Amino acid sequence: MNILLIGSGGREHALAWKLEQSPKCEKLFCAPGNAGISEVAECVDIAAEDVEGIVKFSKENKIDFVVIGPEQPLVDGLASALRDANISVFGPNKDAAQLEGSKGFMKDFFARHNIPTAAYARFTSIDEAVAYIKEQGAPIVIKTDGLAAGKGVIIAMTEEEAIKAATDMLSGEAFGEAGMELVIEEYMEGEEISYFALSDGENYLPLTSAQDHKRVGDGDTGLNTGGMGAYSPFHQMTDELEQKILTHIIEPTVKGMKADGYPFQGVLYAGLMVVNGEPRMIEYNIRFGDPECQPLMMRLDSDLVDILLATDNGTLHEYKDKVQWKDQASLCVVMAANGYPGSYKKGTEIKSTTALNEMDGVKLFHAGTTRDDSDALVNSGGRVLGVVGIGDTIEQAQNKAYQGVDQIDWPDGFCRRDIGWRAIAAQKTKVA
């Protein structure tokens, strides 16, 4: 098969690495790709949001299957356009993509189909939002309705902070169009987890769990980011908890989307809070997480092309109980440019990355990287590298990942030094 991957982040490098291993993958292209992806795929200079350009390229190059990595092209209708052109694609159509594209749509869907979630209200008026915040009190969660690159969520610990966040969003100052409608939610106390399942519109296929680290600083402090690291599987995952997630959340989502006329084909990434042992939905993403995808791909032992293709052709039921995972933990540490998630410099040189290729149990995935005129590796974005370790325990995987990080020579970058800290602390308490 000729396969085209869409995107340029660490998630896409991990997907490219895994897709390229499939015997079915004859030729792999990526639009637009990055410096790391170019080592396993032919990168083409087409933006991920260029729907017309991607359809045209797919036709001209006899692409058999398109794998869409990021959310924006899905919300823009890329999967719909490709299916209209009779090209197989991994990812939901435009209508189904509203599950991530609009938090209001998603929360109303949860209410309609009795999917457990936080209490919420929707607002376009600053005065009404402020009145609601004063009525509910803090802590409280303020979210943009639209996409905001993983940063449109403010967990406000005081009423003043919540009112400022709501005012900044609704005025258009903070997130532009994405923030012109808000969802304000009840604050839920507990551990947040990520759970992944595939859907072909009729059936679902459970995958696995992970835990992301959104805050920029150690100990989950500082601003929200697109993700500073993740590990898989989630340390508190049990057969009982997984069954609750599938029965109360994934299954009613697949059935509900079909019943509402938006059958969902692709990956359901459920962001959940476990409250007193019960899973409650925070939100859905309609693509693999970044950085969760990186440890997931390190653990996956099955052919990625097979299961992704099954979401498009309705054969997912054939893979029930057949997806194989390494019986190990995997952990990803994100290296970001100094200043991220605020302003940062681009074009800073990154050295000594090749040493990681020789390390056992370590893999480097590129995100915001490119090559300059002298062919030096430089950063082109805020989140730049993902260093992934694999081991028998989360602590072993963490040690491997940070051994990899310490090989890299990049004075203009930084990382959190505590990815996986909750899981490792819990494990040590259990042993003690």
Side-chain angles (χ1 to χ4, degrees):
M1 298 175 75
N2 289 331
I3 299 174
L4 171 62
L5 173 65
I6 307 300
S8 59
R11 163 185 50 223
E12 286 75 36
H13 189 183
L15 290 170
W17 173 72
K18 201 68 186 174
L19 290 166
E20 196 267 340
Q21 293 172 22
S22 170
K24 293 184 176 63
C25 181
E26 187 175 332
K27 175 75 177 176
L28 181 62
F29 299 91
C30 186
N34 62 38
I37 293 172
S38 69
E39 295 169 9
V40 290
E42 182 180 321
C43 293
V44 291
D45 189 17
I46 305 172
E49 294 79 23
D50 183 357
V51 173
E52 196 176 307
I54 289 166
V55 173
K56 182 171 181 283
F57 177 88
S58 299
K59 287 177 175 175
E60 289 174 352
N61 290 272
K62 296 183 171 54
I63 298 296
D64 300 295
F65 186 38
V66 179
V67 176
I68 303 172
E71 63 275 21
Q72 191 65 58
L74 292 166
V75 171
D76 293 344
L78 177 56
S80 301
L82 287 161
R83 288 192 176 102
D84 287 346
N86 294 314
I87 297 165
S88 290
V89 59
F90 172 71
N93 282 344
K94 187 173 185 176
D95 287 344
Q98 291 178 90
L99 203 54
E100 178 172 1
S102 166
K103 291 185 179 70
F105 172 94
M106 174 190 66
K107 294 292 285 193
D108 290 350
F109 174 84
F110 292 162
R112 210 162 45 246
H113 295 283
N114 299 312
I115 294 169
T117 188
Y120 75 102
R122 299 172 66 176
F123 297 94
T124 54
S125 156
I126 292 176
D127 290 344
E128 289 176 11
V130 169
Y132 183 79
I133 290 164
K134 287 180 176 176
E135 181 188 316
Q136 298 298 317
I140 196 164
V141 183
I142 318 294
K143 295 182 176 181
T144 61
D145 178 72
L147 298 177
K151 299 175 197 147
V153 178
I154 303 293
I155 299 167
M157 301 313 288
T158 66
E159 284 186 22
E160 293 74 19
E161 190 185 351
I163 289 166
K164 183 181 186 310
T167 304
D168 287 351
M169 288 179 187
L170 285 171
S171 67
E173 286 179 19
F175 297 102
E177 285 293 316
M180 299 310 282
E181 182 173 340
L182 296 186
V183 171
I184 302 182
E185 286 186 350
E186 162 199 8
Y187 173 77
M188 293 189 290
E189 190 77 56
E191 276 208 57
E192 188 174 338
I193 71 166
S194 305
Y195 189 85
F196 298 84
L198 298 178
S199 169
D200 61 10
E202 185 85 36
N203 311 286
Y204 68 89
L205 181 69
L207 293 180
T208 190
S209 60
Q211 186 169 53
D212 187 16
H213 299 59
K214 282 286 185 201
R215 300 278 190 167
V216 73
D218 285 10
D220 295 327
T221 57
L223 294 172
N224 259 354
T225 70
M228 294 300 295
Y231 70 87
S232 175
F234 175 56
H235 74 103
Q236 289 182 343
M237 185 54 69
T238 61
D239 291 343
E240 183 188 9
L241 177 57
E242 184 169 36
Q243 201 52 53
K244 285 179 179 179
I245 292 168
L246 295 173
T247 304
H248 301 309
I249 292 167
I250 301 298
E251 189 171 321
T253 298
V254 174
K255 287 181 176 174
M257 289 295 280
K258 185 186 176 190
D260 289 354
Y262 313 120
F264 188 95
Q265 296 171 275
V267 64
L268 288 165
Y269 158 12
L272 304 153
M273 192 73 80
V274 181
V275 182
N276 299 321
E278 298 298 321
R280 296 176 74 190
M281 277 300 293
I282 300 168
E283 62 185 28
Y284 266 124
N285 293 320
I286 54 168
R287 34 70 192 185
F288 284 107
D290 188 346
E292 294 97 328
C293 187
Q294 291 89 307
L296 260 62
M297 292 304 109
M298 281 285 277
R299 291 186 57 228
L300 180 66
D301 259 348
S302 295
D303 189 318
L304 182 63
V305 173
D306 281 343
I307 57 174
L308 299 191
L309 196 56
T311 66
D312 188 63
N313 59 28
T315 58
L316 212 49
H317 61 282
E318 295 176 9
Y319 293 91
K320 190 173 185 293
D321 302 323
K322 289 183 182 174
V323 179
Q324 301 295 312
W325 298 93
K326 288 184 174 67
D327 191 24
Q328 289 177 293
S330 182
L331 183 143
C332 175
V333 176
V334 170
M335 296 196 72
N338 290 341
Y340 175 83
S343 58
Y344 54 85
K345 272 196 272 183
K346 292 185 180 181
T348 61
E349 188 172 358
I350 305 160
K351 297 177 183 174
S352 306
T353 57
T354 50
L356 275 72
N357 298 330
E358 313 304 320
M359 296 179 69
D360 182 46
V362 178
K363 177 70 185 166
L364 176 66
F365 293 115
H366 290 233
T369 64
T370 189
R371 297 274 175 187
D372 67 10
D373 293 341
S374 64
D375 202 39
L377 183 68
V378 298
N379 78 302
S380 59
R383 289 189 302 157
V384 180
L385 299 170
V387 184
V388 186
I390 192 163
D392 291 336
T393 64
I394 295 165
E395 188 170 18
Q396 283 182 23
Q398 184 198 57
N399 287 338
K400 288 281 188 184
Y402 283 111
Q403 284 170 26
V405 166
D406 292 338
Q407 294 295 315
I408 296 168
D409 179 8
W410 184 33
D412 294 281
F414 76 100
C415 68
R416 279 182 56 166
R417 301 296 307 193
D418 67 342
I419 301 303
W421 69 277
R422 288 179 186 274
I424 292 165
Q427 187 60 46
K428 285 179 176 173
T429 302
K430 198 185 292 183
V431 170

